[in-house]
Amino acid sequence: MHASFLLAALLPTTFAHFILNYPTSLGFDDDRQSIGPCGGYDIVFGANDTNVTVESFAIASRSTHPQANWLFRATLSTAEPFNWTNLLPVVQQSGLGDFCIPSFSAPSSFVGQRGVLQIVQSAVDGNLYQCAAVNFVAGAQSGLPSQCTNGSSVTASLTSMTSLSGTSDNSTSPSASGSSSATSAAPSATSTQSSGATQLVGGLLAVMPAALLLL
Ligand SMILES: *[C@@H]1O[C@H](CO)[C@@H](O)[C@H](O)[C@H]1NC(C)=O
Ligand SMILES: *[C@@H]1O[C@H](CO)[C@@H](O)[C@H](O)[C@H]1NC(C)=O
Ligand SMILES: *[C@@H]1O[C@H](CO)[C@@H](O)[C@H](O)[C@H]1NC(C)=O
Ligand SMILES: *[C@@H]1O[C@H](CO)[C@@H](O)[C@H](O)[C@H]1NC(C)=O
Ligand SMILES: *[C@@H]1O[C@H](CO)[C@@H](O)[C@H](O)[C@H]1NC(C)=O
Ligand SMILES: [Cu+2]
Protein backbone atom coordinates (compact mmCIF):
# COMPACT_ATOMS: atom_id res chain seq x y z
CA MET A 1 0.00 0.00 0.00
CA HIS A 2 1.63 3.20 -1.09
CA ALA A 3 0.59 6.75 -1.80
CA SER A 4 2.42 6.19 -5.00
CA PHE A 5 2.13 9.47 -6.83
CA LEU A 6 3.23 11.61 -3.96
CA LEU A 7 6.00 9.30 -2.86
CA ALA A 8 7.36 8.81 -6.34
CA ALA A 9 7.74 12.55 -6.53
CA LEU A 10 9.36 12.86 -3.13
CA LEU A 11 11.65 9.87 -3.43
CA PRO A 12 12.74 9.72 -7.02
CA THR A 13 15.75 7.46 -6.53
CA THR A 14 13.81 4.31 -5.78
CA PHE A 15 10.38 3.05 -4.98
CA ALA A 16 10.33 0.67 -2.13
CA HIS A 17 8.99 0.02 1.32
CA PHE A 18 12.29 0.75 2.96
CA ILE A 19 15.93 0.55 2.00
CA LEU A 20 18.85 -0.23 4.27
CA ASN A 21 21.57 2.21 3.23
CA TYR A 22 24.16 1.41 5.91
CA PRO A 23 25.56 -1.10 6.76
CA THR A 24 25.47 -2.79 3.35
CA SER A 25 22.31 -4.85 2.97
CA LEU A 26 22.35 -8.54 2.13
CA GLY A 27 19.98 -7.60 -0.67
CA PHE A 28 16.79 -5.78 -1.44
CA ASP A 29 13.76 -7.09 -3.33
CA ASP A 30 10.61 -5.03 -3.00
CA ASP A 31 8.35 -8.04 -3.53
CA ARG A 32 10.10 -10.23 -0.99
CA GLN A 33 10.79 -7.73 1.75
CA SER A 34 8.05 -9.18 3.95
CA ILE A 35 9.89 -12.51 4.19
CA GLY A 36 11.84 -12.84 7.43
CA PRO A 37 14.42 -12.84 8.71
CA CYS A 38 16.19 -11.00 5.88
CA GLY A 39 13.71 -9.90 3.21
CA GLY A 40 14.05 -13.10 1.24
CA TYR A 41 17.84 -13.16 1.23
CA ASP A 42 20.07 -15.86 2.64
CA ILE A 43 22.68 -14.97 5.21
CA VAL A 44 26.04 -15.13 3.47
CA PHE A 45 29.29 -13.50 4.48
CA GLY A 46 31.63 -11.77 2.06
CA ALA A 47 34.91 -9.96 1.81
CA ASN A 48 33.18 -6.59 1.71
CA ASP A 49 31.01 -6.98 4.78
CA THR A 50 30.83 -3.80 6.82
CA ASN A 51 33.06 -3.59 9.88
CA VAL A 52 30.78 -2.60 12.74
CA THR A 53 32.40 -1.06 15.80
CA VAL A 54 30.50 -2.45 18.77
CA GLU A 55 30.81 0.65 20.97
CA SER A 56 29.00 2.88 18.50
CA PHE A 57 27.74 2.45 14.99
CA ALA A 58 25.04 3.87 12.76
CA ILE A 59 22.16 2.21 10.96
CA ALA A 60 20.79 4.27 8.07
CA SER A 61 17.56 3.58 6.21
CA ARG A 62 15.20 5.33 3.87
CA SER A 63 11.49 4.83 4.29
CA THR A 64 8.52 5.49 2.03
CA HIS A 65 6.09 4.93 4.86
CA PRO A 66 5.11 8.08 6.75
CA GLN A 67 4.88 6.21 10.05
CA ALA A 68 6.56 3.06 11.24
CA ASN A 69 7.80 1.12 14.20
CA TRP A 70 11.33 -0.23 13.92
CA LEU A 71 13.14 -3.07 15.66
CA PHE A 72 16.92 -3.31 15.43
CA ARG A 73 18.51 -6.63 16.40
CA ALA A 74 21.82 -8.45 16.16
CA THR A 75 22.95 -12.05 16.32
CA LEU A 76 25.94 -14.27 15.74
CA SER A 77 23.69 -17.06 14.48
CA THR A 78 23.03 -17.72 10.82
CA ALA A 79 20.10 -20.10 11.29
CA GLU A 80 17.27 -20.82 13.71
CA PRO A 81 17.34 -20.31 16.60
CA PHE A 82 18.63 -16.83 15.93
CA ASN A 83 18.91 -15.71 19.55
CA TRP A 84 18.45 -12.09 18.56
CA THR A 85 19.76 -9.38 20.82
CA ASN A 86 17.67 -6.22 20.75
CA LEU A 87 19.83 -3.17 20.18
CA LEU A 88 17.08 -0.82 21.36
CA PRO A 89 13.45 -1.11 22.39
CA VAL A 90 11.04 -0.62 19.47
CA VAL A 91 11.53 2.82 17.90
CA GLN A 92 8.48 4.74 16.74
CA GLN A 93 9.28 6.98 13.79
CA SER A 94 7.38 9.35 11.56
CA GLY A 95 8.30 11.35 8.49
CA LEU A 96 9.36 10.21 5.04
CA GLY A 97 12.83 9.64 3.73
CA ASP A 98 16.20 9.11 5.32
CA PHE A 99 16.23 7.87 8.89
CA CYS A 100 19.46 7.20 10.73
CA ILE A 101 20.12 6.40 14.35
CA PRO A 102 23.81 7.17 14.75
CA SER A 103 24.71 5.51 18.03
CA PHE A 104 23.87 1.86 18.37
CA SER A 105 26.03 -0.46 20.40
CA ALA A 106 26.34 -4.23 20.32
CA PRO A 107 27.51 -6.70 22.98
CA SER A 108 31.27 -6.53 23.48
CA SER A 109 31.27 -10.33 23.36
CA PHE A 110 30.55 -10.03 19.62
CA VAL A 111 33.97 -8.50 18.90
CA GLY A 112 36.03 -10.49 16.43
CA GLN A 113 33.05 -12.41 15.08
CA ARG A 114 30.85 -12.27 12.04
CA GLY A 115 27.19 -11.66 12.61
CA VAL A 116 23.96 -10.24 11.33
CA LEU A 117 22.14 -6.99 11.93
CA GLN A 118 18.42 -7.22 11.31
CA ILE A 119 16.17 -4.22 10.75
CA VAL A 120 12.43 -4.84 10.97
CA GLN A 121 10.02 -2.13 9.93
CA SER A 122 6.38 -2.50 10.95
CA ALA A 123 4.08 -0.19 9.01
CA VAL A 124 1.07 -0.25 6.70
CA ASP A 125 2.45 -3.22 4.77
CA GLY A 126 3.10 -5.32 7.87
CA ASN A 127 6.57 -6.40 8.89
CA LEU A 128 9.37 -5.79 6.40
CA TYR A 129 12.92 -7.06 6.79
CA GLN A 130 16.46 -6.13 5.83
CA CYS A 131 19.73 -7.57 7.13
CA ALA A 132 23.40 -6.78 6.93
CA ALA A 133 26.16 -9.35 7.30
CA VAL A 134 28.85 -7.63 9.31
CA ASN A 135 32.15 -8.07 11.11
CA PHE A 136 31.88 -6.96 14.71
CA VAL A 137 35.07 -5.15 15.67
CA ALA A 138 36.30 -3.36 18.78
CA GLY A 139 36.01 0.35 19.33
CA ALA A 140 33.73 3.17 18.31
CA GLN A 141 33.04 4.65 14.91
CA SER A 142 35.13 7.62 13.87
CA GLY A 143 32.58 9.90 12.31
CA LEU A 144 29.28 8.95 10.78
CA PRO A 145 28.90 7.22 7.43
CA SER A 146 27.75 9.60 4.70
CA GLN A 147 24.46 7.72 4.47
CA CYS A 148 23.58 8.70 8.05
CA THR A 149 21.15 11.57 7.63
CA ASN A 150 17.54 12.27 8.49
CA GLY A 151 14.81 13.61 6.29
CA SER A 152 13.78 17.09 7.39
CA SER A 153 10.46 15.90 8.83
CA VAL A 154 11.75 12.73 10.46
CA THR A 155 11.19 12.33 14.16
CA ALA A 156 11.52 9.27 16.36
CA SER A 157 11.22 8.16 19.93
CA LEU A 158 11.59 4.97 21.89
CA THR A 159 8.58 2.97 22.96
CA SER A 160 8.35 0.61 25.90
CA MET A 161 7.89 -2.35 23.52
CA THR A 162 10.66 -4.89 23.16
CA SER A 163 9.28 -6.75 20.18
CA LEU A 164 7.01 -6.38 17.17
CA SER A 165 4.14 -8.76 16.72
CA GLY A 166 5.03 -11.37 14.15
CA THR A 167 8.76 -11.32 14.75
CA SER A 168 9.83 -14.64 16.19
CA ASP A 169 10.98 -13.37 19.47
CA ASN A 170 13.52 -15.34 21.37
CA SER A 171 15.55 -12.22 21.69
CA THR A 172 17.67 -11.22 24.60
CA SER A 173 17.14 -7.75 25.88
CA PRO A 174 19.64 -4.89 25.85
CA SER A 175 20.21 -5.26 29.58
CA ALA A 176 20.44 -9.04 29.54
CA SER A 177 23.10 -8.84 26.85
CA GLY A 178 25.08 -6.35 28.86
CA SER A 179 24.74 -3.85 26.06
CA SER A 180 22.75 -0.70 26.24
CA SER A 181 22.83 2.32 24.04
CA ALA A 182 21.63 4.29 27.02
CA THR A 183 25.13 4.19 28.37
CA SER A 184 26.91 4.88 25.11
CA ALA A 185 28.29 8.26 24.33
CA ALA A 186 26.11 10.75 22.56
CA PRO A 187 26.72 10.97 18.84
CA SER A 188 29.73 13.14 18.28
CA ALA A 189 29.19 13.95 14.63
CA THR A 190 27.47 17.06 13.48
CA SER A 191 23.76 16.86 13.01
CA THR A 192 21.11 19.18 11.76
CA GLN A 193 18.57 17.20 13.72
CA SER A 194 19.93 17.81 17.16
CA SER A 195 16.56 18.43 18.75
CA GLY A 196 15.41 15.12 17.34
CA ALA A 197 18.53 13.44 18.64
CA THR A 198 17.87 14.89 22.04
CA GLN A 199 14.33 13.67 21.87
CA LEU A 200 15.39 10.11 21.13
CA VAL A 201 18.12 10.05 23.74
CA GLY A 202 15.81 11.67 26.24
CA GLY A 203 13.15 9.15 25.36
CA LEU A 204 15.64 6.37 25.75
CA LEU A 205 16.62 7.46 29.21
CA ALA A 206 12.99 7.82 30.17
CA VAL A 207 11.94 4.49 28.74
CA MET A 208 14.82 2.22 29.62
CA PRO A 209 13.95 1.85 33.30
CA ALA A 210 10.42 0.88 32.31
CA ALA A 211 11.79 -1.51 29.70
CA LEU A 212 14.06 -3.08 32.27
CA LEU A 213 11.19 -3.60 34.66
CA LEU A 214 9.35 -5.56 32.03
CA LEU A 215 12.10 -8.14 31.71
C1 LIG B 1 34.19 -5.10 -2.84
O1 LIG B 1 34.21 -3.68 -2.93
C2 LIG B 1 35.02 -3.19 -3.98
C3 LIG B 1 35.09 -1.69 -3.87
O2 LIG B 1 33.81 -1.16 -3.68
C4 LIG B 1 34.45 -3.67 -5.29
O3 LIG B 1 35.27 -3.24 -6.36
C5 LIG B 1 34.39 -5.20 -5.30
O4 LIG B 1 33.75 -5.64 -6.48
C6 LIG B 1 33.63 -5.71 -4.10
N1 LIG B 1 33.75 -7.16 -4.03
C7 LIG B 1 32.70 -7.94 -3.82
C8 LIG B 1 32.98 -9.40 -3.76
O5 LIG B 1 31.57 -7.50 -3.69
C1 LIG C 1 37.29 -4.36 7.51
O1 LIG C 1 38.49 -4.36 8.22
C2 LIG C 1 39.48 -5.18 7.61
C3 LIG C 1 40.67 -5.25 8.56
O2 LIG C 1 41.05 -3.99 8.93
C4 LIG C 1 39.84 -4.58 6.26
O3 LIG C 1 40.81 -5.37 5.62
C5 LIG C 1 38.60 -4.52 5.41
O4 LIG C 1 38.88 -3.87 4.19
C6 LIG C 1 37.50 -3.77 6.12
N1 LIG C 1 36.27 -3.90 5.36
C7 LIG C 1 35.62 -2.87 4.87
C8 LIG C 1 34.39 -3.15 4.07
O5 LIG C 1 35.96 -1.71 5.06
C1 LIG D 1 11.59 -19.70 20.82
O1 LIG D 1 11.19 -20.17 22.06
C2 LIG D 1 10.16 -21.14 21.98
C3 LIG D 1 9.70 -21.47 23.37
O2 LIG D 1 10.63 -21.07 24.34
C4 LIG D 1 10.70 -22.34 21.22
O3 LIG D 1 9.69 -23.33 21.13
C5 LIG D 1 11.13 -21.94 19.84
O4 LIG D 1 11.70 -23.02 19.17
C6 LIG D 1 12.13 -20.80 19.93
N1 LIG D 1 12.38 -20.31 18.59
C7 LIG D 1 13.57 -19.93 18.24
C8 LIG D 1 13.69 -19.37 16.86
O5 LIG D 1 14.54 -20.02 18.96
C1 LIG E 1 22.38 -15.51 22.98
O1 LIG E 1 22.94 -14.22 22.89
C2 LIG E 1 23.41 -13.73 24.12
C3 LIG E 1 23.86 -12.32 23.91
O2 LIG E 1 24.89 -12.26 23.03
C4 LIG E 1 24.54 -14.62 24.62
O3 LIG E 1 24.99 -14.16 25.86
C5 LIG E 1 24.03 -16.05 24.74
O4 LIG E 1 25.11 -16.88 25.08
C6 LIG E 1 23.42 -16.50 23.45
N1 LIG E 1 22.83 -17.80 23.64
C7 LIG E 1 22.99 -18.76 22.78
C8 LIG E 1 22.29 -20.05 23.10
O5 LIG E 1 23.69 -18.65 21.79
C1 LIG F 1 17.66 11.24 13.29
O1 LIG F 1 16.55 11.42 14.12
C2 LIG F 1 16.58 10.59 15.27
C3 LIG F 1 15.27 10.76 15.99
O2 LIG F 1 15.01 12.09 16.27
C4 LIG F 1 17.77 10.97 16.11
O3 LIG F 1 17.85 10.13 17.23
C5 LIG F 1 19.03 10.80 15.29
O4 LIG F 1 20.13 11.23 16.02
C6 LIG F 1 18.94 11.58 14.02
N1 LIG F 1 20.05 11.24 13.16
C7 LIG F 1 20.94 12.14 12.78
C8 LIG F 1 21.99 11.66 11.85
O5 LIG F 1 20.91 13.29 13.16
CU1 LIG G 1 5.32 -0.21 1.47
Side-chain angles (χ1 to χ4, degrees), residues 66-70 72 88-96 98-102 104 150-159 193-204 207:
Q67 269 207 310
N69 285 339
W70 301 79
F72 301 92
L88 283 178
V90 170
V91 175
Q92 187 172 65
Q93 177 259 333
S94 64
L96 295 170
D98 291 331
F99 173 47
C100 178
I101 295 180
F104 286 91
N150 278 342
S152 55
S153 67
V154 164
T155 59
S157 58
L158 291 175
T159 71
Q193 304 287 322
S194 52
S195 65
T198 305
Q199 180 192 346
L200 183 64
V201 172
L204 177 67
V207 165

Side-chain angles (χ1 to χ4, degrees), residues 98-188:
D98 291 331
F99 173 47
C100 178
I101 295 180
S103 53
F104 286 91
S105 60
S108 54
S109 58
F110 284 15
V111 167
Q113 305 193 65
R114 301 190 294 197
V116 180
L117 297 178
Q118 182 200 50
I119 294 85
V120 189
Q121 187 203 54
S122 172
V124 289
D125 299 321
N127 289 346
L128 301 167
Y129 300 87
Q130 285 280 275
C131 295
V134 303
N135 306 305
F136 289 105
V137 299
Q141 66 193 349
S142 56
L144 294 179
S146 59
Q147 299 93 332
C148 188
T149 61
N150 278 342
S152 55
S153 67
V154 164
T155 59
S157 58
L158 291 175
T159 71
S160 57
M161 296 185 286
T162 56
S163 70
L164 295 169
S165 87
T167 57
S168 71
D169 190 13
N170 295 53
S171 50
T172 45
S173 71
S175 68
S177 73
S179 156
S180 169
S181 292
T183 58
S184 70
S188 56

Side-chain angles (χ1 to χ4, degrees), residues 1-2 17 65 125:
M1 227 179 7
H2 300 261
H17 307 292
H65 297 147
D125 299 321

Side-chain angles (χ1 to χ4, degrees), residues 11 13-14 17-21 60-64 70 97-99:
L11 300 165
T13 52
T14 183
H17 307 292
F18 88 91
I19 305 265
L20 176 62
N21 283 326
S61 300
R62 168 176 289 199
S63 177
T64 64
W70 301 79
D98 291 331
F99 173 47

